[in-house]
Structure formats: structure tokens, C-alpha cells
């Protein structure tokens, strides 16, 4: 093997500590499939190459039920599963998917004797939901739902006990079998795996629960009334915070049910979904430390926006949350807390705005996955997406940067980035580290102008003191609002 030159090492170091890629450490990586950690060896570690996450192909493909063949002469890997064949060649950025050419972010590379391929490619070509959690260096994989079995006609009564047949809407996905609201908790009973998108909306305060790939079961139709528009209402009596719970068939193709909790005032909530047949949206939390468990997301249903209110819809994403603290500051404070406090201040500033509707991806210490955050914005057809973070560099680094950065990925987001950055820098009073392009999940996968702010450096003592002061957070929130308003004209 060739020796690395000093310059190659320096370049590698720069890549590892590049700001915005953030929270890098050299700890071991992890691969989690459907909630289980896969055993990975020194050779099968996940790597980040040119900003894209590269995973060991054989390990992942076999775990997903594919057969893997390697041809040492042509350097070609063929992976196969009923009806799907993928062919990849080492160091070549085009691959073949069932006869069609597909472009990869990065060509497959060899690490030792292990072929690494871009995670995104695995996700797109196998239907697996993929995610990368940089702070914990974990790849999350969720297998696509199994193709539904053709169900027997209901009158044969041959369905096994406990199974639910559809009310004729659509037999794909999971059945919603019951809905109830008590003790400040909404319980949704489902038969199958459902990955809800839950988000708060202001204006008329409400919490929206979208259930992709779901349909009403027969028992649901029998127990709860269903209007001819496939909708209905659950009256909530004697609750000062909640007026009604509504449900509707939000989308027909693919079938998706939406449940809305109409609130008398804004409430924080937590979502518990352990994939055990019960999804709970709990309004009892104080907003400080509710427990939130969101099971790994299944592939998202594309659902059209529900309301055309005429208002511009802005998704504000407080970075990290829950089990993911984000960066840890010099005084051991967590990035997720700065992000949430600032997001809530933005919501407060815009909540009575006649032209802008704010949707938060989280309003408490919960952890929506990166995919959840993107899905919320895309499903809503949001007009803008803005993610709030603070940067840090690894402990022991020689340099100690300070300052404010704004990131974007797609060119259509550049103008939004420049305008917000123009307000943000004077508001933080920190040095201007510029508007930067980087391939970050939430700014890349969203479909509207989307930016990510690294307001200051947690690893810098001066920046850190500011980041956790109310005044600073308020100034940042006001700057962001000013930027949004200028951008929207
Ligand atoms: Zn962050």
C-alpha cells in the first residue's frame, strides 16, 4: 500500500473537522436494522466519503434479504432478490438497477476486502428507509413493508383471529382499528407498522397526526361514525385544552388517515410509538422532558397538503432532540436545548402573523429522525424550511473557531440563505463565517428552499455563553423572522 503523504493526511484531517459536518469523533460506527444493531467488524465500519455515507454492501444487502455475488475479474457486485437485480462495479459511479442505469453519489470503493456503497443508493434501490445520525455515527435502516397478502373475501370468515379487513378503501398498509381520547392522551390503535408524522400548527392551535399507508378497519367503521367524506369527529368534553379530535381519509392514493387534535391553546406533546399497535400522543408533558419514542420510520407516503390557507407555511426545525443531544458545549450544555429554545421563540414571534403559519418539527425534547423532519416539510408542501443548530469542533482540535454560518444544499435555496444570513450575522454579533453549500440531509431532501443555521460554536467559550442567553436567542429568532419576511416579500 502506498504511504499517505503529509498533504493527504492534512486533507483528511480537514475533511474530518470541517465545520457543518460537525460533532465528528473517531468512535466506532453502528448499523441499526429495524431496531437491531448489526455486528460490524473493524473492516465493515461505515465511512463518510465526499460527504456521503458509505456502508458495507454485502453485510447490508444480505441483512435485507438479498443474495450477493462478487466477480473478481470484472470487479462487479451483483445483488439480487425476487425481481430486483442491482449491478455495481468498483470505482464506477453508474450502476445498473434491473437493466436501468442509475447514478451514484460516489462510486463503490474497496475498504480492505469490503465493498462500500453510498447509503442513499441502498435506500433508493431497495425501498429501505435509510438515515444517518452523525452524533452517534449510526446508520438506521428500516425494511420496506412486506407486500400485503391478498385477503380472502370477508364473508368466507377465513381471516385469522385478530386480523382486520379493510372497509373497502384500500387494502395496502396498516389498519386503524380504534381511536380514543382520555386523560389528555390520544390513543390510536393500529394493526401493523405505522410511522406517524406528528406536528403542531399555529393560527388555530392544533396537533396533526398523519398516518401514512393506513386505512379504516371494519371495527373502526362500526365503533366510530364515518361521514360520507370518510371523516368524523370525536367530541372531547370537559377538557380545557382540547375541543375536538377529528379524523379523515386524508389521501386516497396511497391511502392515509389524518387525525387532528383541535386545541384551545398551544400545548406541547410527546409521541409514543413502540410499534406495538398503539400510537399515543400525550399532552400531559410539561414540555421539558417528556418521553418520546418514535420507531424508525417506514417509507413515507406522499400525501398532498391538507389545507390551502393562503398563508405561507414555514417549517422550523430545532436540530437534534431527545436521545440525540447534538454537540456538547464547553460547559457541557447540549445543542438540542439551544435549538429548541430558539425555535420556540420564532414560533412565538410568528404565531399571530396573518400571513405566516409556523410548523415546528418538534416542540419538546423529542427526537424526530432526519427523515421525519423532511417528511413533515414535504408532506405539507411547506414554502420554506429552516433548521437551527450550533456548531462545534471535536475536543482537542488545535483551532477554536467562533462565528455564524448558514448552510444550503440546492441552488434554489441560496437566495433564502443569503437573506437570512444577512440578518443573522449582526444579530449574533459573531464573526461572519459565510453562506456555505453542503450536502446535509434536511436541506438536500426537502423540496422547498431549505437552510440550516449554525448560529455559533458550542466549542468556543465566548460563543457558548451567548448561545444560552435569552437575549441572544431572542435576537437570533428576530433576525430569522426578519429574513423570512424579506424573502417572502
Ligand atoms: Zn447540530
Amino acid at each position: 500500500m502506498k504511504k499517505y503523504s503529509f498533504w493527504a493526511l492534512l486533507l483528511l484531517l480537514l475533511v474530518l473537522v470541517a465545520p457543518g459536518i460537525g460533532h465528528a469523533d473517531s468512535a466506532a460506527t453502528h448499523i441499526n436494522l429495524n431496531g437491531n444493531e448489526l455486528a460490524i467488524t473493524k473492516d465493515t465500519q461505515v465511512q463518510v466519503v465526499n460527504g456521503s455515507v458509505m456502508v458495507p454492501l454485502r453485510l447490508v444487502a444480505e441483512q435485507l434479504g438479498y443474495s450477493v455475488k462478487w466477480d473478481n475479474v470484472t470487479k462487479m457486485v451483483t445483488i439480487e432478490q425476487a425481481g430486483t437485480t442491482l449491478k455495481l462495479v468498483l470505482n464506477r459511479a453508474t450502476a445498473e438497477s434491473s437493466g436501468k442505469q442509475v447514478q451514484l453519489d460516489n462510486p463503490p470503493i474497496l475498504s480492505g476486502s469490503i465493498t462500500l456503497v453510498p447509503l442513499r443508493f441502498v435506500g433508493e434501490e431497495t425501498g429501505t428507509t435509510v438515515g444517518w445520525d452523525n452524533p452517534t455515527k449510526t446508520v438506521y435502516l428500516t425494511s420496506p413493508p412486506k407486500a400485503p397478502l391478498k385477503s380472502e373475501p370477508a364473508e368466507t370468515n377465513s381471516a385469522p383471529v385478530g386480523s382486520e379487513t379493510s372497509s373497502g378503501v384500500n387494502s395496502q398498509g396498516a389498519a386503524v382499528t380504534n381511536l380514543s381520547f382520555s386523560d389528555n392522551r390520544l390513543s390510536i390503535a393500529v394493526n401493523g407498522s405505522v410511522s406517524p408524522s406528528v406536528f403542531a400548527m399555529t393560527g388555530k392551535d392544533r396537533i396533526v397526526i398523519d398516518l401514512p399507508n393506513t386505512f379504516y378497519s371494519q371495527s373502526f367503521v362500526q365503533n366510530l361514525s364515518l361521514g360520507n367524506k370518510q371523516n368524523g369527529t370525536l367530541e372531547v368534553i370537559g377538557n380545557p385544552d382540547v375541543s375536538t379530535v377529528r379524523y379523515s381519509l386524508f389521501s386516497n392514493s396511497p391511502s392515509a388517515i389524518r387525525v387532528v387534535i383541535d386545541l384551545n391553546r398551544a400545548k406541547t406533546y410527546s409521541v409514543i410509538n413502540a410499534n406495538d399497535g398503539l400510537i399515543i400522543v400525550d399532552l400531559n408533558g410539561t414540555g421539558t422532558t417528556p418521553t418520546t419514542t418514535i420507531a424508525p420510520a417506514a417509507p413515507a407516503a406522499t400525501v398532498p397538503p391538507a389545507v390551502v390557507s393562503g398563508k405561507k407555511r414555514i417549517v422550523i426545525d430545532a436540530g437534534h432532540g431527545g436521545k440525540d443531544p447534538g454537540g456538547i458545549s464547553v460547559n457541557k450544555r447540549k445543542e438540542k436545548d439551544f435549538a429548541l429554545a430558539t425555535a420556540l421563540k420564532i414560533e412565538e414571534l410568528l404565531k399571530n402573523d396573518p400571513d405566516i403559519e409556523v410548523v415546528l418539527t418538534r416542540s419538546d425534547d423529542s427526537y424526530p429522525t432526519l427523515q421525519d423532519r423532511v417528511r413533515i416539510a414535504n408532506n405539507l408542501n411547506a414554502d420554506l424550511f429552516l433548521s437551527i443548530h450550533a456548531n462545534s469542533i471535536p475536543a482537542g482540535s488545535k483551532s477554536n473557531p467562533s462565528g455564524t454560518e448558514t448552510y444550503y444544499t440546492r441552488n434554489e435555496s441560496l437566495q433564502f440563505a443569503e437573506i437570512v444570513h444577512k440578518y443573522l450575522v449582526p444579530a449574533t454579533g459573531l464573526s461572519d463565517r459565510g453562506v456555505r453549500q453542503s450536502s446535509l440531509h434536511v436541506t438536500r431532501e426537502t423540496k422547498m428552499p431549505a437552510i440550516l443555521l449554525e448560529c455559533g460554536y458550542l466549542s468556543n467559550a465566548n460563543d457558548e455563553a451567548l448561545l444560552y442567553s435569552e437575549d441572544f436567542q431572542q435576537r437570533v429568532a428576530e433576525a430569522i423572522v426578519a429574513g423570512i419576511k424579506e424573502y417572502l416579500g
Side-chain angles (χ1 to χ4, degrees):
M1 205 169 81
K2 242 190 342 200
K3 268 201 185 132
Y4 288 118
S5 73
F6 166 78
W7 289 108
L9 274 174
L10 186 70
L11 194 67
L12 186 71
L13 260 174
L14 281 172
V15 168
L16 287 174
V17 302
I21 298 159
H23 331 307
D25 59 47
S26 56
T29 59
H30 310 270
I31 301 177
N32 184 297
L33 172 66
N34 299 327
N36 301 310
E37 178 139 1
L38 303 183
I40 59 176
T41 62
K42 199 165 108 283
D43 290 337
T44 51
Q45 294 292 324
V46 177
Q47 295 183 20
V48 179
V49 179
N50 298 329
S52 88
V53 176
M54 306 285 284
V55 293
L57 177 64
R58 178 180 290 273
L59 175 74
V60 167
E62 286 182 347
Q63 289 289 336
L64 291 169
Y66 285 75
S67 69
V68 180
K69 278 192 227 116
W70 165 249
D71 184 330
N72 200 29
V73 178
T74 56
K75 307 288 176 209
M76 182 187 282
V77 192
T78 306
I79 72 170
E80 258 176 313
Q81 194 190 45
T84 313
T85 307
L86 302 172
K87 291 182 175 166
L88 301 112
V89 180
L90 217 53
N91 302 319
R92 190 183 293 170
T94 45
E96 202 184 295
S97 170
S98 300
K100 277 199 295 263
Q101 296 274 308
V102 286
Q103 192 65 31
L104 280 66
D105 294 346
N106 260 346
I109 54 168
L110 211 54
S111 170
S113 61
I114 305 292
T115 308
L116 299 177
V117 296
L119 175 63
R120 195 147 80 98
F121 170 80
V122 172
E124 282 168 0
E125 298 305 323
T126 66
T128 306
T129 303
V130 300
W132 168 245
D133 189 48
N134 197 42
T136 57
K137 303 276 175 267
T138 304
V139 165
Y140 286 95
L141 302 165
T142 309
S143 304
K146 301 253 184 324
L149 298 167
K150 290 270 182 295
S151 57
E152 293 291 316
E155 49 276 6
T156 64
N157 252 346
S158 65
V161 176
S163 85
E164 292 279 355
T165 48
S166 100
S167 65
V169 178
N170 186 334
S171 64
Q172 295 238 325
V176 175
T177 60
N178 205 352
L179 193 66
S180 65
F181 190 90
S182 64
D183 298 334
N184 247 355
R185 285 167 155 232
L186 174 75
S187 301
I188 305 168
V190 293
N191 199 332
S193 170
V194 177
S195 299
S197 291
V198 184
F199 47 92
M201 294 179 86
T202 55
K204 223 182 135 288
D205 287 309
R206 58 204 190 275
I207 297 165
V208 179
I209 303 106
D210 278 339
L211 306 165
N213 295 310
T214 53
F215 55 89
Y216 297 117
S217 76
Q218 268 176 355
S219 65
F220 186 101
V221 177
Q222 280 156 13
N223 295 331
L224 292 118
S225 69
L226 210 54
N228 55 6
K229 287 185 182 147
Q230 302 279 333
N231 60 348
T233 305
L234 213 61
E235 289 303 327
V236 178
I237 298 158
N239 187 310
D241 299 326
V242 178
S243 58
T244 46
V245 172
R246 293 176 282 134
Y247 46 92
S248 62
L249 187 68
F250 174 54
S251 164
N252 227 324
S253 153
S255 180
I257 291 169
R258 164 174 280 196
V259 182
V260 178
I261 305 173
D262 287 314
L263 300 168
N264 297 324
R265 60 182 122 140
K267 286 285 289 177
T268 58
Y269 61 87
S270 58
V271 181
I272 302 160
N273 181 19
N275 260 332
D276 59 355
L278 203 59
I279 297 164
I280 295 167
V281 180
D282 192 342
L283 308 184
N284 290 302
T286 57
T288 47
T289 50
T291 337
T292 297
T293 320
I294 298 177
T302 320
V303 280
V307 208
V308 183
S309 62
K311 285 187 175 189
K312 295 288 184 189
R313 197 174 275 163
I314 316 296
V315 172
I316 301 290
D317 174 45
H320 312 279
K323 65 175 185 186
D324 168 17
I328 305 292
S329 77
V330 279
N331 287 310
K332 305 276 178 275
R333 290 190 275 200
K334 294 166 182 152
E335 181 185 352
K336 65 177 184 177
D337 296 330
F338 161 76
L340 179 62
T342 307
L344 291 172
K345 288 184 169 66
I346 295 170
E347 185 192 33
E348 187 62 33
L349 287 168
L350 287 173
K351 100 179 157 193
N352 293 319
D353 194 287
D355 304 318
I356 296 173
E357 180 171 74
V358 175
V359 176
L360 299 182
T361 55
R362 67 182 181 98
S363 57
D364 59 23
D365 186 26
S366 58
Y367 175 69
T369 63
L370 298 181
Q371 289 77 9
D372 290 334
R373 297 167 203 252
V374 167
R375 195 175 333 151
I376 287 169
N378 287 350
N379 284 0
L380 280 170
N381 264 355
D383 295 285
L384 295 172
F385 178 95
L386 187 148
S387 187
I388 299 168
H389 290 252
N391 217 337
S392 52
I393 56 158
S397 302
K398 284 250 153 57
S399 67
N400 181 16
S402 152
T404 304
E405 297 147 4
T406 299
Y407 287 84
Y408 71 103
T409 306
R410 293 164 291 113
N411 287 335
E412 62 162 322
S413 306
L414 174 60
Q415 197 196 355
F416 181 40
E418 283 177 337
I419 290 174
V420 170
H421 191 73
K422 178 181 81 178
Y423 287 96
L424 184 63
V425 169
T428 64
L430 299 173
S431 62
D432 181 353
R433 290 176 57 92
V435 172
R436 300 168 175 222
Q437 191 171 26
S438 180
S439 182
L440 305 167
H441 186 91
V442 291
T443 52
R444 187 183 66 229
E445 302 297 328
T446 38
K447 304 233 181 302
M448 67 292 309
I451 60 176
L452 185 148
L453 310 179
E454 297 282 8
C455 299
Y457 271 79
L458 298 159
S459 44
N460 178 288
N462 175 54
D463 286 19
E464 187 233 22
L466 288 168
L467 285 163
Y468 292 92
S469 89
E470 291 279 330
D471 277 2
F472 178 92
Q473 292 169 2
Q474 188 64 29
R475 287 202 306 275
V476 166
E478 283 168 7
I480 290 168
V481 168
I484 289 170
K485 288 190 168 168
E486 179 179 327
Y487 180 80
L488 293 174

